[in-house]
Amino acid sequence: MSNSSVVELLKVGLGDEAVIAKIKGSDASYDTSTGALIALKGQGVSSAVIAAMIEAANRKAVAASEALSVDSPDPAVPHASGVYMLANWLSQPRMIGIDATTSNQTKTGGFLGYALTGGLASMSFKAVVPGNSAKAVTGSPRPTFYFYFDQANRGGSSAVFNAGAVTSPQEFSLVKFTVKDDRREAKVGKFNIGGAKAGVMDKDRIPFSATQLRPGVYEIRPDAALLAGQYGFMVQVTTGGGAGMSGMGAMSSKIFDFAIAPAAGSSAAK
């Protein structure tokens, strides 16, 4: 449907009610500029039909503005729920979506020391991520990230952030992974004679700043430059068992991983 097709329908004798019903039920592209509306009125189109055309054009514009983008670098553009890293692609800025990885495997370390000291030495627990490198890679030592939570989009509930249970970047810890052959590891707890501590220790957290741009949308930047290596935003999503070692071993983490590439010309890049 267009301006001309509306005029043609009216000219063959269809009443306003029938034409308005057609406008509401059809995909259309209407010119609703001031000059076009004056022209429609001059061709005998009623105010009720013109109003229906304007309403249809406005609905289409709103729908287009609310379409979820997957790579627009503009944080004001709605995106699907998730974590995005701002990067350059062919010299153009774009957002790269970071797929969530769930680490259900928890590896223990320091067990011998724990056993030999009767629990005085701590035994560590590490979240394990398969693969020795993240897919999302940037050369910037202080990359910018955007977190889009479910409430950013009307009806946009998803399982990306554990079905809406996580709603703030402050619930995440930014950590650096240690690469071991075909996996990456990060410490997520410890256990000794004094008890168990679940979650990333303060000394292992990398500080970052979060700025809320609008409800459900945050801009994230590390407070300092990051060295080349493997990193990730980690949130503990479930735990099982008690406060002892069995409970620590059942810990599950959701991780949004990324890599900082070595600077060109550095020994690590050669």
Side-chain angles (χ1 to χ4, degrees), residues 49-191:
V49 172
I50 291 175
M53 295 170 66
I54 294 173
E55 183 179 350
N58 289 341
R59 280 199 307 269
K60 186 172 183 179
V62 170
S65 67
E66 292 184 346
L68 299 181
S69 174
V70 295
D71 60 4
S72 172
D74 184 357
V77 172
H79 289 67
S81 298
V83 174
Y84 298 80
M85 180 172 68
L86 189 63
N88 285 324
W89 178 259
L90 300 178
S91 301
Q92 295 296 322
R94 61 172 290 189
M95 285 195 194
I96 299 175
I98 301 178
D99 294 332
T101 298
T102 300
S103 174
N104 293 313
Q105 179 183 357
T106 304
K107 180 183 175 183
T108 59
F111 178 77
L112 182 60
Y114 172 85
L116 292 177
T117 62
L120 293 176
S122 296
M123 180 168 58
S124 64
F125 296 84
K126 300 177 181 179
V128 179
V129 180
N132 58 18
S133 180
K135 293 181 180 179
V137 181
T138 179
S140 171
R142 286 192 67 199
T144 300
F145 300 88
Y146 293 96
F147 283 48
Y148 287 81
F149 292 97
D150 293 341
Q151 65 267 37
N153 304 310
R154 288 179 291 178
S157 180
S158 74
V160 173
F161 293 112
N162 199 29
V166 182
T167 59
S168 167
Q170 302 303 337
E171 298 176 64
F172 287 80
S173 295
L174 175 57
V175 299
K176 185 175 183 179
F177 289 101
T178 300
V179 179
K180 298 287 185 70
D181 298 325
D182 60 347
R183 66 186 186 277
R184 288 158 286 158
E185 301 175 354
K187 189 182 296 184
V188 292
K190 67 179 182 178
F191 182 85

